Amino acid sequence: MPRAILVVLDSFGIGGAQDAARFGDEGSDTLGHIAQRCAAGEGDKPGLRSGPLHLPNMNRLGLGAAATLSTGKTLPGLAPDPAPTGLWGYAAEVSNGKDTPSGHWEIAGVPVEFDWGYFPATIPTFPAEMIAAIVAETGIPGIIGDKHASGTEVIAELGEEHLRTGKPIFYTSADSVVQIAAHEEAFGLEKLYALCEVTRKHADPYNIGRVIARPFTGTSAADFVRTANRRDYSVLPPEPTLLDRLTAEGRTVIGVGKISDIFAHQGVTKVLKGAGNGQLLDKTLEAMDMAQDGDLVFTNLIDFDSLYGHRRDVPGYAAALEEFDRRLPELMAKLKDGDLLLLTADHGCDPTWRGTDHTRENVPVLGFAPGIAGRSIGGRGTYADIGETIAEHLGIAAERHGRSFLSA
């Protein structure tokens, strides 16, 4: 029985979503705009990278062809390979949000058909009664922030006040989320996690998707830095996901990175953590050594989104893509006969776009399996086709939201 390895390049959109205008994102294109900026010399950064975007391994699988299929454009440096070696195409999202849980749940076969709750772009942004209940239950001296903000910017702005007062920093974004930043040592990591658990309970009536612990260290705005001890507190998916279906069959699901957090720690049997894409790729290789026949390795590579997309860093995003592309052969070399490797994304986060939020885009779907010839899988109408493809590959029953492209 084969294995499946699913790697989500967090936020690696390839433009072209038909409903992008509904989200204010018409014209966004994470890969396309990065490629254009790099070709124009605007992706250069001394000591980091220079020149046109160079992704030969992903392009050989069919990335350029998938991007052209999604947008109708040929990207600089990513002309479609004349004979891609992988299964290639794109998938459109049908979930009502463009957030991390929506994208991952849909990939795992369960689109989000309900509407998340969101907080208004006002100051204060959080309901007073919610904050009062959290303060009363936890005994914290109050909160600061209470607004929409970029995580790194709000820590630079309010971190010193947090150290003086002991008040944690509460903020949100265009996603359905409460984020809580606190100093890992002065406030305490376990205290922050406990605060997030209480906040999760009080956020439930507002239908909020996630509460995220954002610990940081440092002594002043000049050297504050977020640590790798982030923790997400998500609500449960509304139906059993691919992960649940696999574990019910006695299979092992190895979640690498924040996968377990995204699925509220349900359906994941082993968890491997790492700080940054490099470590997460190392952990993916380790997971592939651990995985047995019929198992799933499910990885999220977070840096594309958190370090480069949200921070609108084109050179950083380009360099991260090129580094992943250089390491892709390591993943492919560990595949056994019958294994399936799938690369995709959960949404876009165009670093050239206005604001700092996710963008509604199609995502690439690139597959490689030793002995399977490359071909187009076309444009898929839902990310759920990815999950159902893995279900077919691993020999479990299909569900209703997607359709496998293995036998198409």
Side-chain angles (χ1 to χ4, degrees):
M1 188 182 296
R3 307 176 304 170
I5 297 87
L6 174 58
V7 180
V8 175
L9 283 66
D10 200 309
S11 86
F12 186 39
I14 56 173
Q18 289 190 347
D19 62 353
R22 180 163 70 94
F23 295 84
D25 294 330
E26 187 173 19
S28 62
D29 185 352
T30 300
L31 174 61
H33 289 150
I34 291 171
Q36 291 167 7
R37 292 287 181 90
C38 289
E42 298 172 19
D44 295 356
K45 187 173 183 179
L48 182 65
R49 69 163 313 279
S50 64
L53 189 62
H54 186 59
L55 305 173
N57 293 308
M58 282 194 283
N59 201 41
R60 195 170 300 117
L61 290 180
L63 177 61
T68 297
L69 182 64
S70 173
T71 65
K73 303 173 184 177
T74 298
L75 302 183
L78 285 169
D81 190 290
T85 58
L87 304 173
W88 60 270
Y90 70 83
E93 186 170 14
V94 298
S95 294
N96 290 341
K98 54 178 180 177
D99 53 275
T100 294
S102 295
H104 282 76
W105 293 359
E106 187 171 333
I107 289 169
V110 181
V112 174
E113 297 173 327
F114 58 85
D115 291 323
W116 292 111
Y118 300 92
F119 297 111
T122 58
I123 301 176
T125 188
F126 298 114
E129 61 273 18
M130 184 184 87
I131 297 302
I134 293 167
V135 169
E137 183 168 344
T138 61
I140 58 174
I143 71 166
I144 53 178
D146 205 349
K147 61 183 179 178
H148 284 241
S150 158
T152 53
E153 292 174 2
V154 80
I155 290 170
E157 175 193 355
L158 298 174
E160 293 179 9
E161 182 179 351
H162 161 68
L163 288 174
R164 288 196 307 271
T165 65
K167 297 178 180 180
I169 305 167
F170 276 59
Y171 64 103
T172 189
S173 69
D175 283 356
S176 180
V177 65
V178 180
Q179 304 204 58
I180 307 176
H183 198 276
E184 191 166 292
E185 296 155 356
F187 190 84
L189 193 58
E190 294 305 319
K191 183 179 177 182
L192 174 58
Y193 292 160
L195 172 60
C196 288
E197 291 175 1
V198 171
T199 302
R200 171 71 274 168
K201 177 178 65 177
H202 290 290
D204 283 345
Y206 301 93
N207 201 28
I208 301 303
R210 285 183 296 168
V211 175
I212 305 178
R214 290 288 197 176
F216 65 97
T217 57
T219 58
S220 71
D223 65 358
F224 287 143
V225 60
R226 296 198 296 199
T227 76
N229 291 317
R230 161 186 171 153
R231 185 173 293 179
D232 293 35
Y233 298 81
S234 176
V235 296
L236 286 170
E239 300 176 30
T241 67
L242 170 69
L243 284 62
D244 299 314
R245 291 151 58 193
L246 286 168
T247 54
E249 293 284 339
R251 313 294 181 80
T252 296
V253 175
I254 306 174
V256 180
K258 64 177 184 177
I259 293 298
S260 184
D261 290 343
I262 294 168
F263 288 89
H265 310 285
Q266 180 169 289
V268 179
T269 47
K270 293 183 180 179
V271 178
L272 298 179
K273 293 283 191 176
N277 284 357
Q279 286 189 21
L280 292 170
L281 280 169
D282 291 341
K283 293 295 182 181
T284 302
L285 295 170
E286 180 182 329
M288 292 175 72
D289 288 334
M290 297 165 55
Q292 302 298 310
D293 288 349
D295 293 346
L296 171 65
V297 176
F298 193 173
T299 295
N300 173 280
L301 299 179
I302 190 173
D303 286 356
F304 300 110
D305 185 57
S306 64
L307 294 186
Y308 309 118
H310 284 301
R311 300 187 191 184
R312 298 309 190 234
D313 181 353
V314 171
Y317 207 131
L321 286 171
E322 290 169 340
E323 177 60 21
F324 173 78
D325 192 81
R326 283 190 290 270
R327 296 200 62 184
L328 178 56
E330 296 178 52
L331 295 176
M332 297 171 70
K334 275 196 176 289
L335 295 174
K336 302 176 182 179
D337 288 344
D339 285 349
L340 175 66
L341 170 66
L342 289 176
L343 310 178
T344 191
D346 53 341
H347 49 68
C349 197
D350 186 341
T352 74
W353 205 243
R354 56 184 172 270
T356 60
D357 295 318
H358 296 154
T359 43
R360 181 76 163 191
E361 301 179 45
N362 296 333
V363 299
V365 182
L366 305 177
F368 179 79
I372 295 182
R375 62 174 172 83
S376 172
I377 62 169
R380 314 303 297 189
T382 170
Y383 295 1
D385 286 1
I386 299 166
E388 293 313 315
T389 297
I390 294 172
E392 179 185 352
H393 179 72
L394 295 180
I396 66 169
E399 281 293 344
R400 63 191 178 95
H401 293 294
R403 181 170 58 87
S404 171
F405 48 75
L406 284 184
S407 55

